Amino acid sequence: MEWFAGIGRSTMGMAAGLGRAAYLLFGSLVARPQPLKNFPLTIRQIYVVGVQSLLIIIVSGAFIGMVLALQAYTVLVDYGAEQSLGPMVALSLLRELGPVVTALLFAGRAGSALTAEIGLMKATEQLSSLEMMAVDPLRRVIAPRLWAGIISMPLLALIFSTVGILGGHAVGVDWLGVDSGSYWSVMQAAVDFNDDVMNGVIKSVVFAFVVTWIAVFKGYDAVPTSEGIGQATTQTVVYSSLAVLGLDFVLTALMFGTH
Amino acid sequence: MEDLVSIHNMTFSRGERKIYEDISLRIPKGKTTAIMGPSGIGKTTLLRLIGGQLRPDEGDIRFKGESIPGMTRKRLFEVRREMSMLFQSGALFTEMTVFDNVAFPIREHTTLSEELIRILVLMKLQAVGLRGAAQMMPSELSGGMARRAALARAIALDPELIMYDEPFAGQDPISMGVVVKLIKELNDALNLTSIVVSHDVGEVLSIADYVYVLADKRVVGEGTPEQIKEHESELVQQFLQGKADGPVRFHYPSRSMQEQLLEAN
Amino acid sequence: MNSRKIEILVGLFVALAVAALLMLALKVADKGFSGNGETYELKAKFDNVGGLKERSPVKVGGVVVGRVGSIKLDEDDFTPVVTLVISEEYDQFPTTSSVSILTSGLLGEQYVGLQPGFLLDENDILKPGQFIEDTKSALVLEDLIGQFLFSRNND
């Protein structure tokens, strides 16, 4: 009996959490938008979540492109098909690794920082104090961060993929000796702008939305103590990573599965 | 005398736990009203109820005769511009300078020019003695200075009501003296209505016009500081004199010690 | 950090991302061709298209002049009809041109090779939508092996 009660309790808890998350989203994005007033705040947050994540994105992109080229080359060279290195690297990055790895790194770098920052604002009564000053914290604190995340992550993913393709070029062409012309031309023949580049961007926008939403909600909903904030930060990284990987499967099946 | 805030037969509980049961309070206009009581009694909760951040389960809270729980969100935000709250931690925005913190409510709610805002902010900072610290960040301030900066922000829009949440907690005697002086002066100079929530008996009794003592979910004593000092309730006397044992027991409720020791064998 | 500096850095960040997108569009996906460029269509019937796919390149002497637009089955005679999307720059192919499905390397991708014919008459130029008559089908490995074994048996 206690067991069923446990299931019931956690289901009700989850439903209530989802409701609060939906309310947060509605309150910050849908109701009473003030884009003009929020624009400078959003720029500032793009700096925090986007520009400050740039270094880790560029370094990871370069290394992943290089490793991809190295691994693909050892397999392809057995079949004399090393000119397929270009499309191999480009398609893996554009369709999968660019959006997914960027989202995972973003969750770890920017998402956890967002949760901790908002949680700390809650713990130090800054959110309450905004509310008492008749300023809606959803509009003032949450909305700019949500927008900044949604805008920044697709841009980071584009940079990640590009750097990765250049990293693949560095290893494949400059080190392993694949012909530079065929690296690019076979890639050009295989990659389609709409099917591959834009689908990757769409994936990235979806991930951006989900990861940022989880991050700001976990911060806003955190128990305002040091333990609570620590827990919320961990949950942000775990939940958003799982959400990204799960959604990636669904999106991949929708976009590329029917061909 | 007219009441700015009045609470009528209010009951409030958090989850299963009842915090207030059927309490009534009156906060007269232009006076300093103190609300005292032991820790954990939910004094901060009371301020949040008045600010409309929480809703009572039963009863009513009125601000200038208008029911706060009955307001729409829009109206509540309008009313909040007339009240202001000094949080225990100060709650300064950590990413802004002291100047920007004080300017924040003015910039949010008015369309004054930057030049005018500068003058207003400097005047408010002058009033709390922090004009020289305008360009410092909150992390560089001492606890007492942070609270004074927060006070400057709280009076930035010249509210009618200021609620002080534990303004004396964790302050050294000098900053405590400064805060006491400021609350008194601001109340007289700006004709504010103040609600001070605190358990620092001496300081509160020196500035309050009227005192409520809360304990055990209800009001156990009320009156002017003189009346409170002479109050016949044992609970009030225990609180005022800081006795370790009295109606509030020293021991957390448990079985008798003898029983528990014997049980181990 | 003052807001001017932040604005500049955010601007640089967005510019970097736009540069990345441009590079992906032009250098990686070769948007210049499959997308907005002015094109016209030619058609060709094959007996067998083998592994030819939509978007496979159309080459003349190794130069890409277009891409395969669609591959459909003719409803009357059940032979595959390949639509070739050719760049407007190359609109002077004679009607005597031939197309064949070729493979780049032993296991590489299949593409359409266009062999321009002789220009007999000024008017004998392929017009948009016209069929190219002379086609050679893809080589299918199984057929080749079959022929090879068959010819050995005959020896």
Side-chain angles (χ1 to χ4, degrees), chain B residues 21-94:
Chain B
E21 194 161 16
D22 195 30
I23 67 163
S24 298
L25 295 176
R26 291 167 53 239
I27 315 288
K29 201 169 187 166
K31 300 281 177 196
T32 302
T33 307
I35 294 166
M36 297 204 290
S39 325
I41 197 74
K43 298 186 295 290
T44 308
T45 308
L46 188 69
L47 296 186
R48 286 175 191 265
L49 281 160
I50 296 173
Q53 289 189 322
L54 299 171
R55 273 166 198 275
D57 301 338
E58 276 169 51
D60 201 3
I61 301 166
R62 289 172 186 276
F63 181 80
K64 289 185 181 171
E66 198 176 351
S67 166
I68 287 180
M71 283 177 192
T72 60
R73 198 172 160 77
K74 187 162 173 276
R75 177 74 190 130
L76 186 62
F77 269 53
E78 282 168 19
V79 168
R80 278 186 190 157
R81 293 182 198 185
E82 295 168 28
M83 44 170 103
S84 167
M85 183 155 160
L86 183 69
F87 285 85
Q88 191 172 348
S89 59
L92 292 169
F93 302 127
T94 38

Side-chain angles (χ1 to χ4, degrees), chain A residues 22-102:
Chain A
Y23 175 79
L24 170 118
L25 193 66
F26 181 80
S28 47
L29 294 189
V30 183
R32 290 170 288 114
Q34 308 165 288
L36 271 181
K37 208 168 184 179
N38 278 337
F39 188 67
L41 294 172
T42 309
I43 293 288
R44 193 182 186 87
Q45 290 306 320
I46 291 179
Y47 172 76
V48 174
V49 300
V51 177
Q52 293 191 343
S53 306
L54 207 50
L55 188 66
I56 187 175
I57 290 293
I58 289 177
V59 172
S60 319
F63 275 109
I64 285 188
M66 279 151 63
V67 166
L68 261 180
L70 201 54
Q71 292 284 12
Y73 180 82
T74 54
V75 176
L76 291 173
V77 77
D78 287 346
Y79 300 94
E82 59 278 27
Q83 70 270 43
S84 297
L85 191 66
M88 177 89 198
V89 170
L91 289 180
S92 318
L93 280 167
L94 290 170
R95 289 180 174 183
E96 289 296 335
L97 294 173
V100 171
V101 177
T102 304

Side-chain angles (χ1 to χ4, degrees), chain B residues 11 15-16 21 24 68 71 83 89 91 96 107 110 125 129 147 155 158 178 181 193 200 218 227 242 245 253:
Chain B
T11 300
E16 301 288 299
E21 194 161 16
S24 298
I68 287 180
M71 283 177 192
M83 44 170 103
S89 59
M96 300 180 194
R107 287 184 179 141
T110 68
L125 283 173
R147 215 160 292 188
I155 58 171
D158 295 322
V178 172
K181 173 174 169 285
T193 306
D200 293 282
R218 58 203 164 79
Q227 289 169 323
D245 212 351

Side-chain angles (χ1 to χ4, degrees), chain C residues 66-84:
Chain C
R67 294 194 184 276
V68 172
S70 67
I71 301 171
K72 291 207 173 72
L73 212 54
D74 188 298
E75 285 179 8
D76 298 325
D77 56 7
F78 304 110
T79 52
V81 178
V82 176
T83 308
L84 308 173

Side-chain angles (χ1 to χ4, degrees), chain A residues 23 32 37 44 117 121 123-138 140 145, chain B residues 48 51 53 73 77 80-81 83 85 87-89 91-94 96 104-105 108-109 153 163 165:
Chain A
Y23 175 79
R32 290 170 288 114
K37 208 168 184 179
R44 193 182 186 87
E117 188 197 10
M121 287 181 87
T124 54
E125 296 172 313
Q126 293 182 46
L127 294 183
S128 280
S129 143
L130 274 173
E131 222 171 282
M132 283 308 296
M133 279 184 234
V135 175
D136 188 348
L138 290 182
R140 171 81 203 190
R145 283 167 175 76
Chain B
R48 286 175 191 265
Q53 289 189 322
R73 198 172 160 77
F77 269 53
R80 278 186 190 157
R81 293 182 198 185
M83 44 170 103
M85 183 155 160
F87 285 85
Q88 191 172 348
S89 59
L92 292 169
F93 302 127
T94 38
M96 300 180 194
F104 181 85
E108 280 294 318
H109 292 307
R153 186 178 66 180
M163 297 182 268
D165 185 8

